[in-house]
C-alpha cells in the first residue's frame, strides 16, 4: 500500500491537532486552576477511597481466590492448561484492576494529553528559538557579522546544554515563575522549549554549515540578495540534511517530558505512577505507560520517514 | 565596459594575492586569463563581480564604480553572469527551476516567460530533454552547460568563466567549450580563466598572463603564443604546450 502525503491534508490535520491541544491548555486556564484545587481534595478523597477500596478489593480478591481454588479442586483438566488459565486470569485481573476499575484509563488518557501538549508546544518554541539562534551563529561563522548576538547565543547554548533538564524545569517553576500564578503546562512547555531550542540551534547551524559555499556564491552571482539565497537555496537543502537529526531531537523531547512530574504536572509517566500508588501493582501501569510512549515514537518515526522520502526526490539518479 | 584600476586584494592572513592590476575590457572582447595556480587569476575574476571584496583600487562596470560601498552590487551582478569550476547547480531544484529561479525571484520575468526562455536556451545547448531532471542525474559536461544557461537566462552583458572545464572528464571538455565558442560568436563579452590553450588561441581576442598577483603579458593570441616577451611566460608556455 502506498501512502501519499497530500500537502493540504497534512496542513488540515496539523491545524486540527494544534487547535485541539490549544483548546486543552488555554480556555481551560481558569477552569483548570479550579480543577486543580478540586483535584487535590479529590485526590486525597480518592486516596482515602482507595484505602477503603483496597480493603474491599482484598476481600473481593480473597473470596475470588477461594472460589477459584474450589473450582480448581473440581477441575479435572491437565496442569498445563491450568497453568495458562491461571496466568490469563491473573493478568486480566491485574489489567482490570489497574486500567478499568478506578478509571485508570482515564488518568492515562489525561496524562497522555498533557504529555502531547507539552511536547508539541515546546517543539514549536524549540524550533522558533533554535532557528533564530542557529541562524545567528551560522551568519556569524560565515560572514563575521552579528558578533554581539553570537556571543549571547553561545552563552545560551552553553548554559542549557551544561545543565540537566530537570534542574532547568525546577528553576523555571520555582524561581522564575515563583510568584506568578500560571498554568503548569505553560511553565513546562517554556522550560522544555528553551531546553530544546539550544539543541535545535546546533542542529540548524550544522545543517547550514554543511552546505557548500559555492551554493551561496552561485545564488549571489545571479543577483539574489543574501537573504533570498538563504531562503530559496541554502535553507531548503540544510533542512533536508538535518531532518533525521531534528526528528530524533523531537523523539528525545517527547520522552524527556516524562520528568514534568517534578513540578506536579500529571503527565503520562506521572499517571502511571499514580495508578501504581493506588493499586500497589507496578507491572501493568509501568508497562502500559512504556507501550504508549513506544507507539507514539513509532508513529513519529514513520511520519518522519515519509517526509524524508518526499524531500529526497532530487537525489534520484 | 569594465575598467580596473590598481586593484589589490589581500586575505586576512596578510597574503597579498593581487598586487595592482590595471585592465580595460571593451564590449565584445573575449579576454582569456592564463597563469600558474596561485597566480591570482581566479581571485581577479571573482573581484570583478565582488564575490571577493577588493582591498584596494577601483572597478568600473558600465560607468558605475562597483567598488563603492554605496553601489547596489546585487543589481550589477544581474548583468554579470558567472560560471564556476564546480558548476554549483542547486541540487534540490529541477533543471528548469535552476534556470528560472533568479529571473522569477527578482521579478524580471513572469513564470511563463522564464519557462519559455529556459526551454529555448536548453534547446540551444541540446539539453531540452533534461528540463525536468535533477542535477544529480546529469554528467559533468551537462551540468556545466546548464550552469552556463542559468547565467544566460539573466541576459547578462558580460560572462565570467572561472576554470569552467577544470573539473570535467577530458571527453566532456569539448561539449562545454563548444557552447562557449558559440556564445563568443554571438558577440558576448567574456572573461575566461582557463588552462585550455587551444580555446585561448582560437576564441580569445586578447590573452593575459598572470603570475604572482600581476599581469605580466597582455597580447593578442597570435602574439601571445607566437612571440611571448616575458621570460616567465616563455617558461610557462614551454611547460604546457
Amino acid at each position: 500500500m502506498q501512502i501519499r502525503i497530500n500537502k493540504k491534508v497534512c496542513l488540515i490535520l496539523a491545524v486540527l491537532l494544534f487547535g485541539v491541544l490549544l483548546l486543552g491548555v488555554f480556555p481551560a486556564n481558569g477552569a483548570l486552576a479550579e480543577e486543580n484545587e478540586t483535584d487535590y481534595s479529590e485526590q486525597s478523597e480518592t486516596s482515602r477511597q482507595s484505602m477503603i477500596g483496597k480493603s474491599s478489593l482484598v476481600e473481593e480478591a480473597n473470596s475470588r481466590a477461594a472460589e477459584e481454588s474450589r473450582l480448581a479442586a473440581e477441575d479435572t483438566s491437565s496442569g498445563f492448561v491450568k497453568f495458562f488459565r491461571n496466568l490469563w486470569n491473573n493478568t486480566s485481573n491485574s489489567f482490570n484492576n489497574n486500567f478499568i476499575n478506578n478509571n485508570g484509563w482515564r488518568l492515562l488518557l489525561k496524562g497522555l494529553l498533557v504529555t502531547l501538549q507539552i511536547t508539541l508546544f515546546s517543539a514549536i518554541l524549540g524550533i522558533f528559538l533554535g532557528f533564530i539562534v542557529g541562524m545567528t551563529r551560522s551568519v556569524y561563522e560565515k560572514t563575521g557579522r552579528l558578533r554581539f548576538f553570537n556571543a549571547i547565543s553561545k552563552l545560551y547554548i552553553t548554559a542549557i546544554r551544561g545543565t540537566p533538564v530537570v534542574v532547568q524545569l525546577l528553576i523555571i517553576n520555582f524561581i522564575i515563575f515563583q510568584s506568578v500564578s500560571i498554568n503548569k503546562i505553560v511553565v513546562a512547555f517554556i522550560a522544555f522549549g528553551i531546553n530544546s531550542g539550544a539543541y535545535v540551534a546546533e542542529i540548524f547551524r550544522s545543517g547550514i554549515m554543511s552546505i557548500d559555499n559555492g551554493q551561496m556564491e552561485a545564488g549571489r552571482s545571479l543577483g539574489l540578495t543574501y537573504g533570498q539565497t538563504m531562503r530559496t537555496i541554502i535553507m531548503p537543502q540544510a533542512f533536508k540534511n538535518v531532518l533525521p537529526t531534528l526528528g530524533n531531537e523531537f523523539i528525545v523531547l517527547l520522552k524527556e517530558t516524562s520528568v514534568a512530574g517534578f513540578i506536579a504536572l500529571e503527565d503520562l509517566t506521572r499517571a502511571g505512577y499514580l495508578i501504581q500508588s493506588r493499586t500497589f501493582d507496578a507491572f501493568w501501569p509501568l508497562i502500559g505507560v512504556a507501550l504508549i510512549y513506544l507507539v507514539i515514537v513509532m508513529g513519529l518515526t514513520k511520519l518522519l520517514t515519509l517526509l524524508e522520502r518526499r524531500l529526497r526526490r532530487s537525489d534520484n539518479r | 565596459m569594465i575598467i580596473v584600476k590598481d586593484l589589490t586584494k589581500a586575505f586576512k592572513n596578510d597574503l597579498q594575492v593581487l598586487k595592482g592590476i590595471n585592465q580595460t575590457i571593451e564590449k565584445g572582447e573575449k579576454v582569456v586569463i592564463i597563469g600558474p595556480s596561485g597566480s591570482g587569476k581566479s581571485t581577479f575574476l571573482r573581484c570583478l563581480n565582488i564575490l571577493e571584496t577588493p582591498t584596494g583600487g577601483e572597478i568600473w562596470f558600465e560607468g558605475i564604480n562597483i567598488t563603492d560601498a554605496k553601489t547596489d552590487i546585487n543589481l550589477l551582478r544581474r548583468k554579470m553572469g558567472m560560471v564556476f569550476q564546480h558548476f554549483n547547480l542547486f541540487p534540490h531544484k529541477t533543471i528548469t527551476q535552476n534556470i528560472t529561479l533568479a529571473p522569477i525571484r527578482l521579478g524580471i520575468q513572469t513564470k511563463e516567460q522564464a519557462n519559455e526562455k529556459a526551454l529555448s536556451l536548453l534547446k540551444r545547448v541540446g539539453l531540452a530533454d533534461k528540463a525536468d531532471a535533477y542535477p544529480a542525474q546529469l554528467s559533468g559536461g551537462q551540468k556545466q552547460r546548464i550552469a552556463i544557461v542559468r547565467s544566460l537566462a539573466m541576459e547578462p552583458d558580460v560572462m565570467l568563466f572561472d576554470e569552467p572545464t577544470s573539473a570535467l572528464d577530458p571527453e566532456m571538455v569539448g561539449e562545454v567549450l563548444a557552447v562557449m565558442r558559440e556564445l563568443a560568436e554571438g558577440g558576448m563579452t567574456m572573461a575566461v580563466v582557463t588552462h585550455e590553450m587551444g580555446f585561448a588561441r582560437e576564441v580569445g581576442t586578447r590573452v593575459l598572463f598572470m603570475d604572482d598577483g600581476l599581469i605580466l603579458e597582455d597580447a593578442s593570441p597570435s602574439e601571445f603564443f607566437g612571440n611571448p616577451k616575458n621570460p616567465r611566460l616563455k617558461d610557462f608556455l614551454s611547460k604546457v604546450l
Side-chain angles (χ1 to χ4, degrees):
Chain A
M1 187 181 69
Q2 199 188 353
I3 305 171
R4 283 195 54 208
I5 320 181
N6 190 316
K7 250 187 208 166
K8 265 185 203 160
V9 174
C10 267
L11 199 71
I12 290 167
L13 275 178
V15 168
L16 274 179
L17 184 67
F18 188 82
V20 166
L21 293 183
L22 199 69
L23 278 175
V25 182
F26 291 105
N29 233 338
L32 214 104
E34 265 174 54
E35 208 185 306
N36 268 343
E37 274 171 41
T38 51
D39 251 4
Y40 284 120
S41 54
E42 208 180 306
Q43 220 173 319
S44 50
E45 183 98 351
T46 44
S47 64
R48 225 178 301 131
Q49 269 179 355
S50 74
M51 291 303 269
I52 302 162
K54 177 74 189 162
S55 55
S56 65
L57 263 180
V58 170
E59 270 171 38
E60 198 185 323
N62 280 345
S63 64
R64 202 181 300 157
E67 178 86 0
E68 270 166 17
S69 62
R70 193 155 19 84
L71 279 173
E74 291 167 16
D75 197 353
T76 51
S77 50
S78 71
F80 190 71
V81 174
K82 248 189 268 175
F83 173 78
F84 278 102
R85 188 181 294 150
N86 279 342
L87 189 70
W88 169 250
N89 281 339
N90 286 343
T91 11
S92 63
N93 277 347
S94 163
F95 187 91
N96 282 335
N97 278 344
N98 283 306
F99 295 143
I100 311 299
N101 310 334
N102 271 335
N103 275 338
W105 64 274
R106 198 169 277 181
L107 212 55
L108 282 183
L109 199 67
K110 254 169 125 179
L112 175 63
L113 197 67
V114 170
T115 292
L116 288 180
Q117 279 171 350
I118 300 173
T119 309
L120 183 75
F121 291 124
S122 43
I124 291 169
L125 183 61
I127 288 179
F128 179 71
L129 279 175
F131 180 77
I132 293 172
V133 173
M135 281 301 287
T136 311
R137 297 262 292 131
S138 46
V139 166
Y140 173 76
E141 274 178 40
K142 291 252 183 194
T143 66
R145 283 183 285 168
L146 305 175
R147 176 184 288 269
F148 173 69
F149 290 103
N150 178 58
I152 295 178
S153 304
K154 256 173 119 167
L155 187 72
Y156 161 69
I157 290 169
T158 311
I160 295 297
R161 293 210 299 187
T163 52
V165 64
V166 180
V167 177
Q168 291 162 18
L169 181 66
L170 292 176
I171 288 175
I172 287 177
N173 188 45
F174 292 113
I175 300 177
I176 294 173
F177 290 121
Q178 178 196 14
S179 52
V180 194
S181 134
I182 188 167
N183 189 336
K184 288 276 190 231
I185 291 177
V186 177
V187 175
F189 96 69
I190 289 174
F192 288 113
I194 289 175
N195 178 272
S196 180
Y199 293 94
V200 173
E202 287 298 274
I203 292 170
F204 273 139
R205 186 182 67 90
S206 72
I208 290 167
M209 298 306 284
S210 74
I211 304 300
D212 184 48
N213 279 337
Q215 294 288 311
M216 178 55 86
E217 286 177 358
R220 297 306 303 275
S221 78
L222 288 168
L224 298 171
T225 64
Y226 184 86
Q228 285 171 329
T229 315
M230 210 60 185
R231 277 196 302 279
T232 56
I233 294 161
I234 309 290
M235 294 302 296
Q237 294 182 59
F239 181 70
K240 192 177 81 174
N241 287 354
V242 301
L243 194 68
T245 334
L246 206 59
N248 199 38
E249 165 60 22
F250 292 128
I251 287 170
V252 170
L253 177 66
L254 173 79
K255 293 183 291 181
E256 252 177 11
T257 58
S258 61
V259 298
F262 271 90
I263 58 167
L265 250 180
E266 289 182 18
D267 73 320
L268 183 56
T269 307
R270 184 79 174 169
Y273 185 72
L274 283 175
I275 296 174
Q276 184 197 343
S277 68
R278 283 182 197 178
T279 60
F280 298 98
D281 182 0
F283 184 82
W284 272 113
L286 297 186
I287 295 293
V289 165
L291 284 175
I292 295 173
Y293 277 115
L294 184 67
V295 166
I296 297 172
V297 169
M298 280 163 65
L300 269 178
T301 313
K302 180 76 194 166
L303 260 173
L304 280 165
T305 318
L306 288 174
L307 186 58
E308 237 178 276
R309 195 181 302 159
R310 200 186 150 85
L311 289 177
R312 291 245 169 252
R313 269 186 317 190
S314 61
D315 292 351
N316 295 338
R317 277 165 196 276
Chain B
M1 190 176 207
I2 301 177
I3 302 163
V4 181
K5 292 180 191 163
D6 293 323
L7 178 70
T8 58
K9 169 72 186 176
F11 284 110
K12 272 177 196 155
N13 48 11
D14 284 333
L15 185 70
Q16 191 78 26
V17 187
L18 299 179
K19 298 176 178 170
I21 299 218
N22 288 288
Q23 188 56 231
T24 305
I25 299 174
E26 300 294 343
K27 190 166 168 55
E29 269 196 302
K30 293 98 180 78
V31 178
V32 182
I33 304 157
I34 283 168
S37 52
S39 59
K41 53 192 188 319
S42 278
T43 309
F44 169 51
L45 196 74
R46 289 158 58 84
C47 278
L48 292 181
N49 69 350
I50 319 292
L51 277 184
E52 301 286 356
T53 317
T55 35
E58 287 179 2
I59 300 169
W60 291 72
F61 174 65
E62 294 181 341
I64 300 164
N65 181 2
I66 62 173
T67 39
D68 188 348
K70 276 173 272 175
T71 310
D72 185 354
I73 188 62
N74 295 317
L75 284 176
L76 289 162
R77 281 188 183 132
R78 297 179 187 184
K79 292 283 142 211
M80 303 172 111
M82 180 134 188
V83 176
F84 300 87
Q85 182 177 356
H86 295 288
F87 331 128
N88 297 345
L89 293 182
F90 309 134
H92 60 303
K93 302 271 185 197
T94 65
I95 298 307
T96 306
Q97 286 169 337
N98 261 277
I99 298 167
T100 57
L101 186 136
I104 295 174
R105 251 293 122 165
L106 296 170
I108 296 167
Q109 294 160 16
T110 66
K111 200 173 173 194
E112 289 73 29
Q113 285 173 330
N115 282 335
E116 211 172 293
K117 172 132 187 115
L119 196 64
S120 73
L121 283 167
L122 282 172
K123 276 185 188 142
R124 229 171 94 186
V125 298
L127 289 172
D129 56 324
K130 300 290 184 191
D132 295 319
Y134 283 98
Q137 295 162 305
L138 304 186
S139 73
Q142 291 171 331
K143 280 185 201 169
Q144 196 59 296
R145 284 189 274 162
I146 298 296
I148 294 172
V149 165
R150 181 175 67 179
S151 294
L152 288 177
M154 292 295 294
E155 299 177 350
D157 296 338
V158 57
M159 286 284 285
L160 311 174
F161 292 85
D162 188 2
E163 302 197 24
T165 57
S166 298
L168 296 175
D169 287 345
E171 56 180 335
M172 290 171 182
V173 170
E175 62 191 66
V176 172
L177 290 182
V179 171
M180 289 167 67
R181 207 167 261 141
E182 197 217 300
L183 202 57
E185 280 158 15
M188 176 64 78
T189 310
M190 292 160 74
V192 185
V193 171
T194 188
H195 295 298
E196 296 293 329
M197 299 300 156
F199 180 82
R201 202 195 301 251
E202 288 159 32
V203 182
T205 54
R206 203 144 57 84
V207 187
L208 309 180
F209 177 69
M210 276 186 77
D211 192 26
D212 200 24
L214 289 169
I215 294 175
L216 298 181
E217 186 107 9
D218 178 352
S220 68
S222 54
E223 186 82 353
F224 187 93
F225 291 103
N227 184 20
K229 291 179 187 68
N230 188 285
R232 185 71 191 83
L233 173 60
K234 282 181 193 166
D235 182 45
F236 180 77
L237 286 178
S238 71
K239 280 175 189 157
V240 298
L241 286 181

